[in-house]
Amino acid sequence: FLVLVLTANAQNKFVTDSLLRALKTEKSDTTIINIYNQLAWECRNSNIAMTDSFASLAITEGEKAKFPKGTGNGYINKGFVYRNMGESAKAIESYRWALVQFVKSNYRQGYASVYNNIAGIHKLQGSHSVALFYYFQSLKISEQLHDDRGIARTLNNVGVVLMEQKKYDKAILYYNKRYDILERLHDENGMADCLNNIGNI
C-alpha cells in the first residue's frame, strides 16, 4: 500500500518520501495521524484513492487515540474525496463531522476551514447566497483569530462568488483587501494571483 504512494506523482515524491520515512519510525499516535492527513493532502491531485485511504486511516486511528483534531482533519480530507467524486451531500456531511471533532478540541481554526469547505460546495452548486453566508462565517472566525492567511483565503473566495454574480465592483473590493494582506505577508505569488483575478474582471 505504501509503495504505491512512492510512484503517485513525481512532483510531490520528495514530500511523500519524507512523510513515509517518518511514518516508519514514528511512535506517537497523534504524529502518525497527522502524517496520514498530510499524505492524504499530498495525494489529492495525483491519486484520489490514496487520499481516501489515508483519510480513512486518520479518522479510524484518530478515534482510537481520542485525538479529535486529527480525526477532524481526516474528515476534511474525506470531504475533499467526496467533492472530487461529485457527491456533494456526502462531502457536506463529512465536513459537518469534521466540525464536531473540532468543537471537541476547541480548534477554532478548524471551524473556519469547515465553513470554507461547505461554502465551496454551495458555490459549485450555484447557491451563491448560501456560499457567501458560510464564507462570512469563516471570515469572522479568522479575523477573531488574527489569522491573516485564513482571512486572505476567504476574501479571495468571496471575490470569486461576487465575480460569478457579476458584482464586479464588490469583487474588486474584496480582492484589494486580500492584496493588502498578502503584501504585508510578502506573499508575491498570492499577490500575482490576486492581480490576475482583478485583471480578469
Side-chain angles (χ1 to χ4, degrees):
F1 172 73
L2 296 176
V3 171
L4 291 174
V5 181
L6 294 172
T7 56
N9 188 341
Q11 291 180 333
N12 66 354
K13 189 175 185 301
F14 175 80
V15 177
T16 54
D17 281 354
S18 175
L19 290 169
L20 289 168
R21 280 195 300 273
L23 194 59
K24 289 175 183 176
T25 58
E26 185 56 53
K27 304 297 182 189
S28 165
D29 289 342
T30 55
T31 303
I32 289 170
I33 293 159
N34 287 336
I35 292 172
Y36 285 150
N37 276 317
Q38 286 178 276
L39 283 165
W41 182 250
E42 288 300 323
C43 293
R44 73 194 185 282
N45 293 323
S46 59
N47 193 326
I48 200 68
M50 286 293 177
T51 295
D52 190 28
S53 296
F54 281 123
S56 295
L57 283 169
I59 293 167
T60 301
E61 297 305 314
E63 288 173 347
K64 283 184 191 174
K66 296 185 173 18
F67 180 36
K69 181 180 174 183
T71 306
N73 284 324
Y75 277 116
I76 290 285
N77 284 319
K78 197 77 166 175
F80 181 86
V81 172
Y82 287 130
R83 174 177 172 164
N84 192 67
M85 293 167 62
E87 297 190 33
S88 300
K90 286 185 177 180
I92 289 175
E93 181 182 6
S94 189
Y95 293 140
R96 286 178 174 159
W97 278 115
L99 184 60
V100 169
Q101 299 300 319
F102 293 147
V103 168
K104 284 182 183 178
S105 58
N106 196 30
Y107 180 49
R108 298 190 69 231
Q109 197 167 1
Y111 302 4
S113 177
V114 167
Y115 292 140
N116 244 302
N117 281 294
I118 291 175
I121 297 292
H122 288 292
K123 183 181 83 65
L124 286 174
Q125 294 176 328
S127 302
H128 292 128
S129 60
V130 179
L132 287 173
F133 171 80
Y134 282 106
Y135 280 138
F136 284 123
Q137 292 297 312
S138 178
L139 184 61
K140 181 180 177 181
I141 292 167
S142 294
E143 287 172 344
Q144 290 170 348
L145 295 173
H146 306 288
D147 175 10
D148 283 341
R149 292 210 174 271
I151 293 168
R153 180 183 64 244
T154 307
L155 288 172
N156 181 72
N157 292 338
V158 171
V160 170
V161 173
L162 292 170
M163 187 165 66
E164 287 181 2
Q165 291 181 308
K166 303 189 187 313
K167 297 179 179 178
Y168 299 125
D169 289 343
K170 285 187 177 180
I172 288 173
L173 177 66
Y174 280 92
Y175 286 139
N176 280 330
K177 286 181 179 179
R178 179 191 181 218
Y179 184 89
D180 291 343
I181 292 171
L182 295 173
E183 190 172 33
R184 286 202 312 271
L185 296 172
H186 306 290
D187 183 346
E188 292 184 349
N189 286 334
M191 290 161 65
D193 179 61
C194 201
L195 291 172
N196 189 64
N197 287 338
I198 293 171
N200 283 337
I201 291 175

